[in-house]
Amino acid sequence: MNLTSAEENYLKGIYSLGVGRNGDISTNELAALLQTKPASVTDMLKKLAKKGMISYVKYQGVSVTTAGKKKALEITRRRKLWEVFLVEKLRLQWDELTELSDELEHVSSPLLMQRLDEYLGYPKFDPFGDPIPNELGEMSDHPRVPLLDLSFEQSGKIIGVNDNSSSFLKYLDKAGIFIGVKVLVLDKVDFDGSMELLIDNKRRQFISKEVASNILVMAY
Amino acid sequence: MNLTSAEENYLKGIYSLGVGRNGDISTNELAALLQTKPASVTDMLKKLAKKGMISYVKYQGVSVTTAGKKKALEITRRRKLWEVFLVEKLRLQWDELTELSDELEHVSSPLLMQRLDEYLGYPKFDPFGDPIPNELGEMSDHPRVPLLDLSFEQSGKIIGVNDNSSSFLKYLDKAGIFIGVKVLVLDKVDFDGSMELLIDNKRRQFISKEVASNILVMAY
DNA sequence: TATTTAATTTAGATATACCTAAAAATAAAC
DNA sequence: GTTTATTTTTAGGTATATCTAAATTAAATA
Ligand SMILES: [Mn+2]
Ligand SMILES: [Mn+2]
Ligand SMILES: [Mn+2]
Ligand SMILES: [Mn+2]
C-alpha cells in the first residue's frame, strides 16, 4: 500500500508517540505533534485506517497495525540514513537537519536507500544517537546514559541527545559538543547539579544540570 | 516567489522547450512533454503568469520571463547536482536517474545545494554531459561532437548523450559506454554508417549509425 | 447521578492539481 | 473568403489536505 507524504508524516507520528506506551494515541496529541488541527487529524485517521496502517475506533484513540509499524520503520530508516549523509558527508549541523530530512524521508526508492546505506558504511545509529532500523525494521541498541549520571573523573563518548529542539541543538553546536566527542567529568557541583567537563582532552566547558540530562553518553 | 513542485515542473518544461527557439511554446506541446492534458496546462499557465514566471497571452503561447528563467536554471542546477551525486557517489546507472532527480530537484535548500556542490568538487557537467548552471545561472560549455563525426582512427572521450530515453540509456549501460570512457574508431562502414570502436583501449564494440549520432564526445 | 467541561467528530469551506466535455478562438483547406 | 479542422480555453467535477464552526460523545466534577 502506497502512502502520500502527508499520510507518511501522520503514520510516523502515530508510531513514535506509541513506542513504549500501553494505551492508544489521542487525536489532540497527534494534532499538537503535527502542528495541525484535531479535525484534520480525524480526516487522516480515517484514510490511514482504510489503508490498513492503523487501528482506529472513533473516540477511542489510535495505534499502528503490524503493517503500519513496518511502514513507519521504513520511513524512519530513510530519514535517518539521509541524516547520516547530511552530517557525515555534507557536514551539516544538528539543527540544520530536521527541515531537510522531513522532506527527504519521503523520497521512496529501495535502490537509492540500499546504495546510500552502502555508501555510508551501513551506519547503525543516526547523528542523534538513535538506532537506524535495517530493511527488516530491526534495530541495534547500545547502553546510553545521561551525561548527568557520569561521576567525578569518569569519562564517556557522546552518542546522542534527548531533546531535538532547535535551541538545544544550536547551543550544543556552539559549545562544541558533537557526536563522537570524548568528555571527562572535571567537577560535579552538588548544589545545582551543574558540571565542568574536559572536552576532547583539551577544552573545559561548564554545563547546567538541564543540559547534562539531555546529552547521552556511552560510559567507558 | 515560491513555487510548488508541480509549478516547478511546468516552468522547467516551458524553459527547456524554449531554449534555442524564436517563437513561443504551445499548450499542446507542454501537455505532451508533461504527460498531462491541455486543460491542465491552461490552468497552470494562469498561475505561473500571476506569479511572474512566464509571459502568457491566451491563445498566443507562452515563454519564460527573466525571473522565470532564473528559477528554471535554479531547479535545473539542483537536479543536475543530485544526478552527479547519484552517479559519482552512489554508482547509479544513467537510466536510474530520471525518476529520482524528478523528485530531488524540488528539495529546495540553498545551504544543502552549496554543500553538495562543494562535496562533489564543483562539477561543471552532469552525467549526460550537459552543463550545470552555477548559482547565478551561468553555464560552462565545451565542444561536443556526435561520435558519428569522428573519423577512422580518431579517438575521443565520451561526455554525453543526445537521447535520454530509458531504452537508449539501458543499451549504453549494457554496452559499457559511460561518461569518461575513451573510444577509438577502428572502422567506419560507408554503407550503413555503423562503426566499430575500441573502448577503453581494450574492448571492441559495434554500434549503429543511430547510436553513434546520439553519443557525444570530446575529440582529442 | 446530573451537570459541566473537554475531547472528538462532522459539516461545510478553501486551495491545489488534476480530469472530461463543451464552447470559443485560431489556423488550415477548399 | 467560407468552411472545416485543430488548438485552446472554460465550465464544472474529483481527490487530497487543510481549515473553522457546530454537533456529538466521553470524561470530570459537583
Ligand atoms: Mn516528513
Ligand atoms: Mn520534478
Ligand atoms: Mn469533510
Ligand atoms: Mn475550473
Side-chain angles (χ1 to χ4, degrees), chain B residues 4 6 10 36-37 39-40 43-44 47 59:
Chain B
T4 65
Y10 275 87
T36 183
K37 302 294 167 185
S40 306
D43 279 353
M44 191 57 96
K47 291 207 298 170
Y59 293 108

Side-chain angles (χ1 to χ4, degrees), chain A residues 5 9 12 79 101-103 105-106:
Chain A
S5 289
N9 285 332
K12 222 180 18 139
R79 179 193 191 85
S101 48
D102 266 343
E103 281 198 65
E105 67 187 349
H106 306 294

Side-chain angles (χ1 to χ4, degrees), chain B:
Chain B
M1 183 58 73
N2 255 47
L3 304 184
T4 65
S5 290
E7 288 168 342
E8 287 191 343
N9 285 333
Y10 275 87
L11 182 59
K12 221 180 19 139
I14 297 163
Y15 173 71
S16 69
L17 285 177
V19 283
R21 168 199 305 209
N22 44 328
D24 282 2
I25 314 304
S26 80
T27 301
N28 275 1
E29 248 180 309
L30 257 175
L33 180 71
L34 300 173
Q35 313 227 70
T36 183
K37 302 294 167 185
S40 306
V41 172
T42 301
D43 279 353
M44 191 57 96
L45 294 184
K46 289 181 196 162
K47 291 207 298 170
L48 285 172
K50 192 149 58 181
K51 293 196 176 191
M53 295 290 127
I54 59 172
S55 300
Y56 168 58
V57 183
K58 64 160 133 163
Y59 293 108
Q60 302 303 301
V62 66
S63 62
V64 296
T65 60
T66 305
K69 179 182 174 182
K70 187 159 169 273
K71 197 66 160 187
L73 288 169
E74 207 177 293
I75 303 160
T76 302
R77 172 176 163 75
R78 297 197 297 247
R79 180 193 191 84
K80 290 176 184 300
L81 285 175
W82 280 117
E83 284 178 341
V84 172
F85 170 70
L86 295 174
V87 168
E88 300 277 310
K89 303 294 186 184
L90 300 195
R91 303 270 125 213
L92 294 191
Q93 297 184 327
W94 278 349
D95 64 287
E96 297 163 336
L97 298 184
T98 312
E99 213 184 349
L100 290 169
S101 48
D102 267 343
E103 280 198 65
L104 291 169
E105 67 186 351
H106 306 294
V107 178
S108 170
S109 157
L111 174 65
L112 174 62
M113 284 304 117
Q114 188 256 304
R115 290 297 176 86
L116 186 60
D117 194 22
E118 179 188 347
Y119 183 61
L120 298 172
Y122 306 104
K124 297 276 170 294
F125 300 93
D126 76 13
F128 303 103
D130 296 312
I132 301 175
N134 68 14
E135 298 90 334
L136 302 168
E138 301 156 344
M139 291 177 263
S140 323
D141 214 350
H142 53 201
R144 302 190 293 178
V145 288
L147 175 50
L148 188 64
D149 291 1
L150 256 54
S151 35
F152 176 61
E153 290 202 322
Q154 207 185 350
S155 54
K157 191 174 74 167
I158 295 184
I159 57 172
V161 292
N162 269 333
D163 178 346
N164 280 13
S165 72
S166 175
S167 60
F168 185 57
L169 298 176
K170 272 198 184 111
Y171 167 80
L172 294 179
D173 281 333
K174 230 169 114 182
I177 296 174
F178 305 109
I179 287 289
V181 163
K182 188 197 161 194
V183 290
L184 166 68
V185 179
L186 293 176
D187 191 20
K188 284 190 83 167
V189 180
D190 272 357
F191 173 64
D192 63 357
S194 67
M195 301 171 105
E196 191 184 3
L197 306 171
L198 183 67
I199 295 183
D200 252 348
N201 292 320
K202 41 182 187 267
R203 202 167 45 75
R204 282 154 178 265
Q205 173 81 41
F206 281 97
I207 61 171
S208 70
K209 179 182 178 177
E210 195 176 355
V211 166
S213 69
N214 279 299
I215 295 174
L216 300 170
V217 299
M218 190 171 58
Y220 287 142

